[in-house]
Amino acid sequence: MFASNRKTLLFAGCCSLLFIVALLAGQASLAQAGSPAQIPTGSIPTVTGTPVGALVIVIDNDQGFVNLRAGPSTVAYDIVGVLVVGQQAPAIGRSPGGDWIEVAYPGVPGGVAWIWKDLVEVRGNLPVIEPPPTSTPAVTATIDPTLAAQFLVEAPPTRLPTYTAPAPYVSPTMPSDAPAAVPGRVPMGLVIIGLAAIGVLGTLISFLSR
């Protein structure tokens, strides 16, 4: 009987001890959850943007691209590359007249090229830059005078006709066909007029005698 009671008390004591340990563990976890989180004391780096310099943006055009040249001229400098519509390029400077813009263009001698200002939108202020020297041909073309003389054709001089003045113009005179009047002779016209008058007078007398 006594041994049975002793086992019962021992079992009850063990259960009570486990209950107390569990209760203490639960309070510790609740206390840890209610405490504020630890705030780091280290410095937080700030992000700053890198300032962007002047640039150009190719505007829309019929070709869809623009040519880049080695210098500010379409005659004295060759084409070294292209930029398509909407493409951007860092702008370096402008020509003394302001018509051309120098841009960074890697892959060409010097890493720069020139573009016409009306084909791009310029953003930013640009300094004036002197254009590069024009390229000179390595060999200057010369003409061999001996060879050129073979293709020269000399045309013989043509003598112009001499002018000879015509003979003076003489107007011919036509002789008169009318017979000359003979002195003492009655003119034929007067005879005709007289005969006509006699005829009219005879007709008048015949008309009155009826």
Side-chain angles (χ1 to χ4, degrees):
M1 181 72 178
F2 180 78
S4 178
N5 292 335
R6 186 177 179 180
K7 291 181 179 179
T8 302
L9 292 174
L10 182 61
F11 178 74
C14 291
C15 291
S16 299
L17 183 60
L18 292 175
F19 177 76
I20 293 172
V21 172
L23 182 62
L24 292 176
Q27 290 180 354
S29 62
L30 291 176
Q32 185 177 1
S35 61
Q38 184 178 1
I39 300 175
T41 58
S43 60
I44 300 175
T46 58
V47 179
T48 58
T50 303
V52 179
L55 56 86
V56 295
I57 304 175
V58 180
I59 60 178
D60 190 13
N61 57 73
D62 296 336
Q63 295 180 344
F65 65 92
V66 294
N67 293 324
L68 295 173
R69 294 186 175 271
S73 174
T74 58
V75 178
Y77 301 93
D78 298 330
I79 297 175
V80 295
V82 295
L83 292 177
V84 297
V85 173
Q87 188 173 356
Q88 301 179 5
I92 300 174
R94 58 185 176 88
S95 62
D99 296 333
W100 291 82
I101 306 299
E102 187 183 44
V103 297
Y105 194 73
V108 298
V112 295
W114 294 77
I115 190 171
W116 181 250
K117 69 176 182 63
D118 293 339
L119 301 177
V120 295
E121 177 186 352
V122 182
R123 295 182 180 180
N125 297 325
L126 300 176
V128 177
I129 298 178
E130 292 297 327
T134 57
S135 58
T136 56
V139 178
T140 303
T142 58
I143 300 176
D144 187 359
T146 305
L147 180 62
Q150 299 178 4
F151 297 93
L152 295 178
V153 179
E154 295 183 0
T158 303
R159 183 177 182 182
L160 298 177
T162 58
Y163 175 75
T164 303
Y169 176 74
V170 178
S171 177
T173 56
M174 303 299 294
S176 177
D177 296 336
V182 180
R185 187 178 178 181
V186 179
M188 183 60 66
L190 184 59
V191 173
I192 294 173
I193 294 174
L195 294 175
I198 294 173
V200 172
L201 182 59
T203 303
L204 183 60
I205 292 174
S206 176
F207 179 74
L208 292 177
S209 63
R210 292 181 180 181

